[in-house]
Amino acid sequence: MRRCLMLLLALLSLPAHAAQLTLELGGTSRQWDSEALLKHPQAREIRIDQDVSYNKTMRYRAVPLAALLTGIRPEDHLQAVALDGFAAEMPAGPLLQSGPAQAWLAVEDPRQPWPPLGPDKPSAGPFYLVWTRPQASGISPEQWPFQVASIRRLAPVAERFPALRPAPGLSASDPVNRGFALFQKNCLACHRLNNAGDAQFGPDLNLPYNPTEYFHPEFLRRYIRNPQDLRQWPQARMPGFSKEVLTDADLDALLAYLSHMAGRKTPTAAR
């Protein structure tokens, strides 16, 4: 009996399981575990006001993301992939800056887990990309991926997925091209289009039909602003995009891109 009790105490004294984060930033792959990141020389306690995922003030132990992005340049393109298939596409420039907005990798201590995101939901851990002063650089909610499993350097979206591109010949200032940029920032983390994209989270937005083909324009706008206004169900996962995140002009441009792509369903994608 005494031996069993000693064994139990020994097991309880062991550290909780450390999660793994994979960084693929070039020709090599590196793994960080949560224990090492919690002890990282640049790790510190930070406060996040109005956390995007928890909708309240949160405190984390975090590492400046730039400290982990060895060899990455501002012109590079990164993708953060979450455990649930969410794939955030992000230019590296803002992630490398120390201000005004700064990106941090919040690390969940397995011995002091974060609260769940909701009833019957896990926490935002083990790794969560958060921002201090996000409003200073126009950081959108889709640039706060949680449950991050890997971060990798990739070619820009337009190079990797030609089926997402608008028709050639449009001017750089055309609303469709602006909408394409907004689609990459706000939609591509969850959705594919023409079967193009890495996300495994939400439905394709062009196949078999584009939402501009079956939504009344005003109701589509309301749906993007607040999906629960039109469809209410407990498992709804799509967030609303307020005017602070997506202005009316931005929304016009995004819808211009979607409408444009309704006429560009590629034969390869359709199969």
Side-chain angles (χ1 to χ4, degrees), residues 51-72:
D51 184 284
V52 165
S53 298
Y54 285 104
N55 296 311
K56 63 180 182 180
T57 298
M58 294 289 292
R59 287 177 168 79
Y60 301 106
R61 185 158 183 82
V63 179
L65 189 59
L68 305 176
L69 300 180
T70 306
I72 295 298

Side-chain angles (χ1 to χ4, degrees), residues 9-269:
L9 291 174
L11 290 172
L12 290 175
S13 67
L14 291 175
H17 177 68
Q20 299 287 325
L21 174 71
T22 300
L23 297 180
E24 299 176 3
L25 305 179
T28 60
S29 175
R30 176 171 184 180
Q31 283 196 327
W32 283 92
D33 65 42
S34 51
E35 285 294 313
L37 287 169
L38 289 167
K39 298 174 183 176
H40 191 281
Q42 296 189 48
R44 53 173 284 195
E45 305 298 321
I46 64 170
R47 168 177 161 163
I48 302 295
D49 295 319
Q50 286 302 307
D51 184 284
V52 165
S53 298
Y54 285 104
N55 296 311
K56 63 180 182 180
T57 298
M58 294 289 292
R59 287 177 168 79
Y60 301 106
R61 185 158 183 82
V63 179
L65 189 59
L68 305 176
L69 300 180
T70 306
I72 295 298
R73 302 164 299 175
E75 62 268 25
D76 288 334
H77 184 85
L78 298 177
Q79 182 190 73
V81 181
L83 295 172
D84 60 7
F86 184 96
E89 302 280 350
M90 299 177 291
L95 301 172
L96 297 174
Q97 295 176 355
S98 58
Q102 184 173 9
W104 298 79
L105 185 74
V107 184
E108 183 177 29
D109 188 335
R111 291 156 297 207
Q112 297 178 311
W114 300 335
L117 292 168
D120 301 319
K121 292 184 178 180
S123 75
F127 307 107
Y128 177 22
L129 199 164
V130 302
W131 297 79
T132 47
R133 299 190 66 204
Q135 66 284 351
S137 296
I139 303 301
S140 76
E142 306 308 300
Q143 293 172 284
W144 294 65
F146 55 80
Q147 296 181 347
V148 176
S150 66
I151 299 175
R152 51 186 181 169
R153 184 177 69 182
L154 297 172
V157 168
E159 293 181 24
R160 288 170 21 233
F161 303 114
L164 296 176
R165 296 177 190 164
L170 296 175
S171 69
S173 61
D174 192 290
V176 170
N177 278 324
R178 167 130 180 89
F180 180 35
L182 290 164
F183 178 83
Q184 294 175 61
K185 181 179 180 180
N186 296 288
C187 309
L188 196 56
C190 294
H191 297 280
R192 296 185 177 205
L193 188 145
N194 281 345
N195 271 338
D198 288 323
Q200 305 289 334
F201 197 72
D204 191 292
L205 292 182
N206 214 30
L207 300 175
Y209 293 101
N210 187 296
T212 62
E213 295 178 285
Y214 57 84
F215 261 115
H216 183 283
E218 181 56 32
F219 282 104
L220 179 54
R221 290 173 179 276
R222 287 179 60 184
Y223 183 73
I224 293 172
R225 288 292 184 214
N226 184 7
Q228 293 291 312
D229 273 354
L230 270 69
R231 297 174 174 172
Q232 297 184 4
W233 72 103
Q235 302 305 317
R237 303 172 83 177
M238 179 173 167
F241 290 85
S242 69
K243 292 185 179 182
E244 288 71 29
V245 173
L246 199 68
T247 66
D248 285 338
D250 287 343
L251 183 53
D252 288 342
L254 177 60
L255 293 176
Y257 168 73
L258 288 175
S259 179
H260 174 81
M261 295 306 292
R264 288 179 59 78
K265 297 177 183 179
T266 64
T268 300

